[in-house]
Amino acid sequence: MRKHIRKAAVATVLAAGAALGGFAATGTAQASEDSGFVDGTGGTHNDWSDEGTLQRGDESNAVALWQTVLVADGAKWKTSGGALRAFTEDDIDGDFNGRTASATRFWQQQNDVRVTGKADRRSFSVADNNLGTVGRRGTVTYDGSFDDARFRRLTVGGVGPQVYFVSFDGSVVAASY
C-alpha cells in the first residue's frame, strides 16, 4: 500500500511540474533532507553530503537509491550463519531491512567509513564522490566499484531543488524520504 501511495504522490508532483513548465536538468537550490527528496545542485560531488540518515525500519524511495549504490559497489550481506552473499538488484525493495543494514556495514568497511549499518551523512558524502556530471536529460552515472548505476537529477516545475530519480519497483521514481 505504501508503495502505491508514494507512486501517487510522485505522480502528483510530476504532473504539477509539467503544468508549471516541465523538467529541466539545470537549476539551483540548497540540497538537504528537509526538501523531502534526495536532491542536489551545481556539481554532483557534494550532492548527498547533507542527506538524512537512513536506517533499519525506514521504507522509502531514498532507501532504494541507497540500495542501488550498494549493488553498484558490490556490497555483501551476512547471513545468520555468517556466510557473505552479494547484495543484488533483487534486494532493491525500498525497505531498509536487516539485509540492507548488513550490506551497509560491509560497504562502510570497504570505504573506510565509521561502521554503523546506517546510511548516514558521512556514508552519503563518500558515495557522492563517485557521481559523474549531470548529462543529457539529467542523467547522472554512479561509478561503482562493481558496476555503474544511473540516476536522473531533474528540476521539477522549474523551481526548487534538483531531485534525484531512481529505477525502482518497475518505474523511475523520485528518491523521496
Side-chain angles (χ1 to χ4, degrees), residues 34-52:
D34 296 337
S35 73
F37 297 95
V38 176
D39 57 15
T41 186
T44 57
H45 296 300
N46 65 355
D47 272 357
W48 297 347
S49 61
D50 58 354
E51 294 304 328

Side-chain angles (χ1 to χ4, degrees), residues 57-99:
D58 288 345
E59 185 178 347
S60 69
N61 297 340
V63 172
L65 179 137
W66 179 252
Q67 291 171 325
T68 301
V69 167
L70 295 175
V71 170
D73 279 335
K76 298 183 182 338
W77 57 277
K78 193 177 286 190
T79 67
S80 59
L84 288 177
R85 300 279 187 254
F87 196 85
T88 67
E89 288 184 15
D90 290 339
D91 294 312
I92 300 173
D93 61 4
D95 182 13
F96 205 108
N97 52 30
R99 192 175 288 187

Side-chain angles (χ1 to χ4, degrees), residues 9-29 37-40 152-165 173-175:
V10 169
T12 302
V13 167
L14 297 179
L20 292 172
F23 296 106
T26 61
T28 60
F37 297 95
V38 176
D39 57 15
R152 296 192 67 196
R153 191 180 90 172
L154 303 168
T155 299
V156 178
V159 296
Q162 294 176 315
V163 174
Y164 273 86
F165 287 75
V173 295

